[in-house]
């Protein structure tokens, strides 16, 4: 069974600073997709960034970037120039397309607080 | 706005009752997923439908069932409700194949069982 582990239940960062959220996963699949979702206080789940396992280049979306280490099964999220609106729960998620269905397996989440 | 709609936003009901949660996927998306978010279990996959057919089941209780209609909207039926069923229920949709497996979530339905 695939598992996703986020070892940091809570983190805080000063506004305009950089923060990195950790995620590790366990799978025997070779091809898969990884995602970071953001859940602000409104509870809406918002897709932040996506990484395909077959791509060596790390994904980047504006202030958000990932550090994908396939051999280590690690997928961390870096948020640069943190803004108050980044305050949210962040969930790492995994999809192994080869399994025949594409449901997301989520980690427990990291609660990020951006401090003014 | 993800384009996925869910109704109702909030639902308060008593133990033993039955409720129906509704989801309309993004235009063009054929797959609908249901997830449950609770404090103790986190985010868990319940069930997936693709173009009207059940594709996968996760940790869904026998008291729960779902279906996807010809217009692609989906309903999640929860019966014989217990206090532990109180949770946030999300619907997500995606277009497959070739979608990079991105799922877009609705705003959720907050279910409170008293």
């Amino acid at each position: 069974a695939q598992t996703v582990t986020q070892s940091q239940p809570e983190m805080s960062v000063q506004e305009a600073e950089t923060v990195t959220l950790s995620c590790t996963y366990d799978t025997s699949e070779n091809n898969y997709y990884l995602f970071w979702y953001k859940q602000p206080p409104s509870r809406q789940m918002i897709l932040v960034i996506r990484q395909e396992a077959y791509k060596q280049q790390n994904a980047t979306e504006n202030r958000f970037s990932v550090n994908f280490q396939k051999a280590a099964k690690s997928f961390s999220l870096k948020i640069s120039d943190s803004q108050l609106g980044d305050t949210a729960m962040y969930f790492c998620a995994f999809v192994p397309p080869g399994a025949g269905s594409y449901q997301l397996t989520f980690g427990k989440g990291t609660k990020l607080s951006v401090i003014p | 706005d993800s384009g996925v709609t869910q109704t109702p936003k909030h639902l308060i009901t008593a133990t033993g009752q039955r409720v129906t949660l509704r989801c309309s996927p993004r235009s063009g998306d054929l797959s609908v997923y249901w997830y449950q978010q609770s404090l103790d279990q986190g985010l868990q996959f319940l069930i997936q439908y693709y173009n009207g057919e059940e594709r996968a089941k996760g940790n869904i209780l026998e008291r729960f069932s779902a279906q996807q209609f010809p217009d692609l909207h989906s309903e999640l039926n929860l019966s014989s409700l217990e206090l532990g069923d109180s949770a946030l229920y999300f619907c997500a949709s995606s277009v497959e194949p070739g979608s990079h497996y991105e799922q877009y979530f609705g705003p959720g339905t907050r279910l409170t069982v008293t």
Side-chain angles (χ1 to χ4, degrees):
Chain A
Q2 289 87 8
T3 59
V4 178
T5 302
Q6 294 179 249
S7 58
Q8 306 149 313
E10 291 192 43
M11 295 188 73
S12 61
V13 62
Q14 291 290 137
E15 196 175 3
E17 296 295 308
T18 295
V19 64
T20 299
L21 280 56
S22 301
C23 172
T24 58
Y25 56 93
D26 187 22
T27 182
S28 58
E29 302 284 340
N30 187 52
N31 186 28
Y32 46 86
Y33 288 77
L34 294 159
F35 303 90
W36 280 96
Y37 279 87
K38 168 185 177 181
Q39 188 178 39
S42 66
R43 307 299 261 174
Q44 174 76 50
M45 293 288 288
I46 302 165
L47 177 63
V48 175
I49 199 164
R50 178 192 78 237
Q51 175 78 43
E52 295 92 333
Y54 61 86
K55 287 189 177 179
Q56 291 188 337
Q57 186 174 5
N58 289 323
T60 298
E61 287 287 342
N62 300 314
R63 298 182 294 105
F64 298 88
S65 61
V66 299
N67 182 6
F68 173 50
Q69 303 287 331
K70 190 173 184 180
K73 296 181 181 176
S74 170
F75 181 60
S76 60
L77 174 70
K78 186 171 84 170
I79 305 174
S80 303
D81 185 26
S82 297
Q83 300 175 1
L84 296 179
D86 296 332
T87 292
M89 283 290 290
Y90 287 82
F91 293 95
C92 178
F94 169 89
V95 171
S101 179
Y102 312 113
Q103 69 264 31
L104 292 162
T105 298
F106 287 94
K108 293 290 187 185
T110 296
K111 183 177 181 180
L112 177 67
S113 299
V114 180
I115 302 166
Chain B
D1 184 357
S2 67
V4 179
T5 61
Q6 287 187 251
T7 56
K9 285 189 177 179
H10 302 279
L11 201 49
I12 301 174
T13 189
T15 54
Q17 295 298 305
R18 171 189 168 96
V19 297
T20 297
L21 313 184
R22 182 189 169 103
C23 167
S24 292
R26 293 186 317 160
S27 177
D29 285 1
L30 300 179
S31 263
V32 169
Y33 301 78
W34 287 97
Y35 293 89
Q36 179 193 58
Q37 185 177 29
S38 61
L39 282 175
D40 53 345
Q41 296 293 329
L43 270 158
Q44 290 201 90
F45 166 70
L46 295 178
I47 196 165
Q48 178 202 0
Y49 277 80
Y50 175 77
N51 203 21
E53 300 287 329
E54 181 184 305
R55 174 171 274 185
K57 269 186 174 180
N59 298 320
I60 188 167
L61 300 171
E62 286 192 10
R63 302 183 284 108
F64 295 2
S65 64
Q67 53 185 329
Q68 186 179 28
F69 295 87
D71 67 352
L72 300 178
H73 92 270
S74 178
E75 293 180 356
L76 179 67
N77 301 295
L78 315 176
S79 62
S80 302
L81 285 167
E82 301 175 0
L83 294 177
D85 297 328
S86 295
L88 188 55
Y89 291 85
F90 285 107
C91 163
S93 75
S94 70
V95 58
E96 298 164 17
S99 68
H100 302 291
Y101 309 104
E102 293 175 359
Q103 294 180 25
Y104 293 89
F105 282 72
T109 293
R110 165 78 64 188
L111 174 66
T112 302
V113 182
T114 62

